[in-house]
Every structure is written in C-alpha cells, then in structure tokens.
Amino acid sequence: MDVFVIEGGRRLSGSIRIHGSKNAALPLMAACLLTDEPMILSDVPNLSDIRNMTRLLGELGVHSGIEDTDHGQTITHRVTDATQSHARYEIVRTMRASISTLGPLLAKRGSARVSLPGGCAIGQRPVDLHLRGLEALGAKITLEGGDIEATAPNGRLIGAPVFLGGPFGSTVLGTANILSAATLARGTTIIESAACEPEIVDLANMLNAMGAKIRGAGSPRITIEGVDELGGTSHRVMPDRIEAGTYMCAAAITGSDLTLENCPLDAMMSATDTLGHMGIDVEVNDRNGDPMRSSCTISRSGEIKPVQITTQPHPGFPTDLQAQFMALLCLSNGNSVITEKIFPERFLHVAELSRMGAQIHRQGATAVVTGVKELTGAPVMASDLRASAGLVIAALAARGTTIINRVYHIDRGYEQLEEKLSGVGASIRRADAEEFADSAMSI
Ligand code: EPU
C-alpha cells in the first residue's frame, strides 16, 4: 500500500491545470447506456473511480476505447451487447456512483438489476429517493439478495411529476438518475426539488446534445419531455470544482501565489466568497470566453481569518470542500464554526488533524476550530477521499514530516496529486508503506 510523505513549510508557485470532474464524468459515462450510437467523452480524469465505472460498463455490454491526451483521457463508449443489465455487488461496493447506471439501464432496456450500495465512511447514504423517483415514473422495484430489481411495465417508463426533496435537501446522483431515465420515458416528467449542482447541468447539456428535451437544469425544477430515442455525441467534461477548491486551500495555507488554469470559477462562488472572508485573494486573470474554464491566481498576504461555514446543496458551500477548509482554518487567528448539513457524520479527519496539533472540538454535526500557531507533521490515516485531501493541505503547512497512510482514497479523486503539487514546489512523494512500517504501526 502507498503512503504520501510530505515535508511541510514550502511555498508554492507556478500554475496547475484542473482536470475534468470525476463527479460529472461518472453519470455522463453511465448515460452512454441510453444510446446505441458511439459517445465520445473528453477531459475524463484518469482515476480509479473512472476505471471502475469503465469496468462496470464493460460488464453491461459497453465497449470503451480509451485514448490518453494532454488533458486527461478521451473515452469512446459504444453499447455492443444490451442483454446484460446486472451491476454486481463486487463492483458497486468499490464505487457508490455505480447506482447511476440504474436509471439509464431501466429506461433503455426496460429492466435493471443493480446491487444496493452499502454505507460508507462519510455516512449511511441511502438511495430511497432514487427508488421513489423511478417508481413515480412507473417502475416496479423489489429487493432481491441485496440487489435492486427494477422493471418498466411494457418496457417503457412513463413521464410524471417527481419530488426529490429529502431530509438533507435534494440528491445529486438521484437527480442524475431520474433525469437520465426520464429522457426516454413516454410523456413529460417534472422533477421538483432537483439538485442544482453544476454536474447536473453538464449532464443535461450532454443529454440535450444527444436529442433529449430538458429544460431548467441548474434550477430546482427540471422539465423533461420524453423522446423515442437518443443519438451519440461528443462532450467535454466540465472541470473539477472540488479539485480546484483543494488547490486553492493548498495555496492559501502555504501563503503562496498559485495560478489555476481551466478553473470552473462560475461554479465556485461559495468557496471563493468564503476564501475572501478569510483574507485570501482569488484574482481572475482570464475568463477565456468561458467562466467555467477560467485562469485565476490565489494569494494571501495577511493572517487567515476565522469564518463560519455551513455545508449546503449548491449554490451553498460544498460538503466535498469541508475537510480542506477545516485544515486551512486550523491555522487561522481565531475560532471558526463548521456545520455539516449534508453528511452530518463527515468528520473523520478531525481526529487525524488533532494528531497534527489542531484544536478542534466537535459536537454532533458542528465543529469549532480554534486556530493554532503551527501544525506539526505526524503519521496520519486517510479515511475517505476528501478527508484525505484535508490532511494533505494540513501537511503542506505543518512543521516536519507527515506520512499519510492509505492514499488509495486520494487516488479515487485526485489525478496526479503528487506530480501537480511537486511541480509547484511542494515536497511530496509517494512511497511504499513498508518503508514507514514503524510510523504506520504507531497509528
Ligand atoms: N440522501 C437520502 N436519500 C437518497 C439519496 C441521498 O437521504 O436517496 C441523502 C444523503 O444521505 C445525503 C444527502 O441526501 O445526506 C445528499 O446526498 P446525495 O445523494 O446528493 O449524494 P450523492 O449524489 O450520493 C454526490 C457526490 C458526493 C457529494 C454529494 C453531495 C458523486 C459521485 N458523489 O453524492 O461526492 O458529497 O453528491 O454533494 O457525484 C466525493 O466526491 O467525495 C463525494 C462524496
């Protein structure tokens, strides 16, 4: 197993190009099940989740031709065998986003069997809203041996009003599932309380280019007029706003000037506004005619100021940046309050940051972060993707060496993290855990 070895205290300078978004790419890939024609996706990040989705699509009869480019991968998907509609537990358990194949399979093939994803490190993560939404479109759903079995009576879903509001707001992948399924339903579907995340807009744009009739994506009400069939298309995946936000935190905590290229600033206002309140400047260099692919420079001259953060559905502050901002606030000059309203248990990084000298007091879904003068390097454990990114941020500013164990969590969502950071001056390298067996055992 790999570890990251990070020597803190280096200033960063230079520029980092943001890759295509993992969370946009996964439902886009699943949507290739909706057509018999080739689908070409470019700017797809080369990550383990993407490889798992490619493997799953392979089992579902999709041939994927992968070409490496300067900007991630271009993947051409084509359905060659539509007889196999079972997403098995062996793959689903490695990647919850496998659930996004359910809507497309059901809509196109009339039936689907998708293993029910279990809980994960960040909480329970039920899929009841996905299932209720598909039932509203006429699907018959049962649970067999841990699998969701869904069928569309007479082979086709029927458009209907669907309400996707749950106890924590809407659902992103649930919206992607219902949106994709409704494109081929008979009649009109209205999704009320739809997720407004930019990844949903990216999906709707691609589906419309395939011939779907979707209006209102990016707002809480999406209207979909079903069509009889969809064609193929080429689509460039939107840049990753969470990767961009993570590098913004890296620049801010090290007091560096760092430029980000291909940065989806238009989808990041809550994060950049929060950075502004913390005394961190995000200067736009060039919008490149597309504010979703801007160039900007992050810099900080004074101390990091404390703030209050509450995670919320888009356009509120994203839960996927909570751990990274918490790491940054560990070095602020006061008390910050962070409340997690999407995944109330998503605080596994608190104990690890405390090992590095952070002062964090958690009570339920709220953490109070009292800024300290310095963090110190320590052996720590990556527990989930974004928690691990928070540890990297802290390690970049800590005195001494931090060894982050289980970096396979980071590899799920950050392409070439160590190359990108060392390219701008950070001291970070990947090593075999064996080399640090003693430190690992002391955890
Ligand atoms: N929820 C329900 N019922 C459902 C679905 C969700 O109660 O049927 C609850 C969840 O338990 C949670 C809230 O609703 O409390 C929001 O969950 P959502 O369904 O929106 O999450 P998701 O679609 O499964 C995506 C991202 C996550 C990101 C969340 C929230 C992908 C592949 N995953 O998950 O990303 O945290 O939206 O923005 O797009 C990550 O990248 O590290 C990650 C976890």
Side-chain angles (χ1 to χ4, degrees):
M1 231 185 292
D2 288 350
V3 301
F4 277 152
V5 184
I6 301 175
E7 302 283 344
R10 304 274 178 97
R11 282 179 84 113
L12 314 178
S13 75
S15 132
I16 287 179
R17 183 184 181 278
I18 301 305
H19 271 108
S21 157
K22 163 184 87 78
N23 287 351
L26 292 167
L28 292 171
M29 290 170 77
C32 79
L33 292 161
L34 291 165
T35 175
D36 299 326
E37 293 183 11
M39 293 276 314
I40 303 169
L41 284 177
S42 56
D43 242 349
V44 182
N46 188 354
L47 298 167
S48 55
D49 272 12
I50 299 292
R51 289 189 287 279
N52 281 330
M53 182 58 98
T54 306
R55 201 172 121 223
L56 173 59
L57 291 174
E59 291 202 359
L60 298 171
V62 179
H63 176 267
S64 300
I66 301 173
E67 184 197 336
D68 287 322
T69 72
D70 288 346
H71 300 326
Q73 314 172 102
T74 297
I75 309 188
T76 304
H77 297 290
R78 182 169 201 149
V79 175
T80 51
D81 173 9
T83 55
Q84 166 62 279
S85 297
H86 186 188
R88 296 180 305 119
Y89 181 61
E90 285 64 33
I91 298 189
V92 175
R93 75 186 169 84
T94 63
M95 187 193 49
R96 301 189 86 265
S98 309
I99 191 74
S100 20
T101 56
L102 179 61
L105 280 175
L106 184 59
K108 178 73 175 157
R109 301 185 186 177
S111 68
R113 182 170 182 144
V114 177
S115 180
L116 194 59
C120 75
I122 65 175
Q124 258 192 338
R125 305 190 72 182
V127 292
D128 55 316
L129 296 171
H130 300 233
L131 304 187
R132 268 199 267 151
L134 292 172
E135 278 174 340
L137 300 185
K140 296 277 170 270
I141 296 183
T142 54
L143 199 61
E144 290 293 335
D147 290 344
I148 302 158
E149 277 207 342
T151 48
N154 304 318
R156 192 163 178 195
L157 296 169
I158 302 155
V162 175
F163 181 69
L164 282 185
F168 302 99
S170 188
T171 160
V172 181
L173 289 179
T175 302
N177 247 332
I178 309 307
L179 176 63
S180 301
T183 56
L184 289 179
R186 189 177 303 119
T188 302
T189 297
I190 294 174
I191 307 179
E192 197 68 84
S193 197
C196 303
E197 268 65 6
E199 292 76 16
I200 295 296
V201 178
D202 206 32
L203 174 64
N205 287 343
M206 187 185 80
L207 291 169
N208 280 339
M210 293 165 72
K213 293 189 175 162
I214 302 168
R215 289 192 317 273
S219 80
R221 171 183 273 223
I222 306 180
T223 305
I224 307 118
E225 269 175 65
V227 296
D228 289 339
E229 59 179 19
L230 295 173
T233 192
S234 298
H235 182 82
R236 184 174 172 198
V237 179
M238 66 169 278
D240 195 319
R241 62 195 169 105
I242 306 302
E243 189 195 21
T246 303
Y247 290 122
M248 287 179 181
C249 291
I253 203 165
T254 51
S256 309
D257 280 7
L258 191 64
T259 296
L260 301 182
E261 304 290 351
N262 199 39
C263 182
L265 276 181
D266 229 30
M268 298 183 66
M269 280 187 64
S270 60
T272 53
D273 185 67
T274 306
L275 286 171
H277 289 297
M278 293 164 77
I280 291 137
D281 194 38
V282 180
E283 194 187 336
V284 182
N285 306 321
D286 192 345
R287 292 200 175 263
N288 297 317
D290 179 356
M292 287 292 277
R293 297 184 183 276
S294 299
S295 163
C296 60
T297 299
I298 324 307
S299 58
R300 163 167 77 85
S301 42
E303 289 191 297
I304 302 169
K305 295 183 196 138
V307 287
Q308 295 205 11
I309 293 177
T310 300
T311 65
Q312 281 168 335
H314 192 77
F317 191 91
T319 173
D320 291 344
L321 282 176
Q322 183 252 106
Q324 301 89 316
F325 272 68
M326 183 182 285
L328 186 51
L329 289 168
C330 287
L331 290 179
S332 77
N333 63 357
N335 291 320
S336 300
V337 182
I338 299 181
T339 302
E340 177 53 70
K341 287 226 167 149
I342 307 291
F343 296 111
E345 297 300 321
R346 195 176 203 178
F347 285 111
L348 287 172
H349 41 288
V350 168
E352 302 302 307
L353 289 171
S354 302
R355 288 177 49 74
M356 300 175 72
Q359 276 194 29
I360 306 169
H361 177 73
R362 179 189 163 194
Q363 202 156 42
T366 294
V368 177
V369 184
T370 302
V372 292
K373 284 275 171 258
E374 71 168 10
L375 295 169
T376 47
V380 289
M381 189 75 86
S383 54
D384 73 81
L385 171 55
R386 308 302 174 187
S388 322
L391 298 179
V392 172
I393 302 299
L396 289 173
R399 177 169 53 79
T401 308
T402 299
I403 297 159
I404 304 182
N405 289 274
R406 301 195 180 168
V407 298
Y408 58 83
H409 288 293
I410 302 182
D411 293 337
R412 286 188 40 226
Y414 293 90
E415 183 172 353
Q416 297 176 320
L417 179 110
E418 68 270 35
E419 286 92 338
K420 283 186 173 183
L421 283 174
S422 52
V424 292
S427 169
I428 172 169
R429 71 181 172 93
R430 188 180 286 263
D432 194 314
E434 286 296 308
E435 209 184 303
F436 297 91
D438 290 345
S439 325
M441 278 167 60
S442 69
I443 292 172

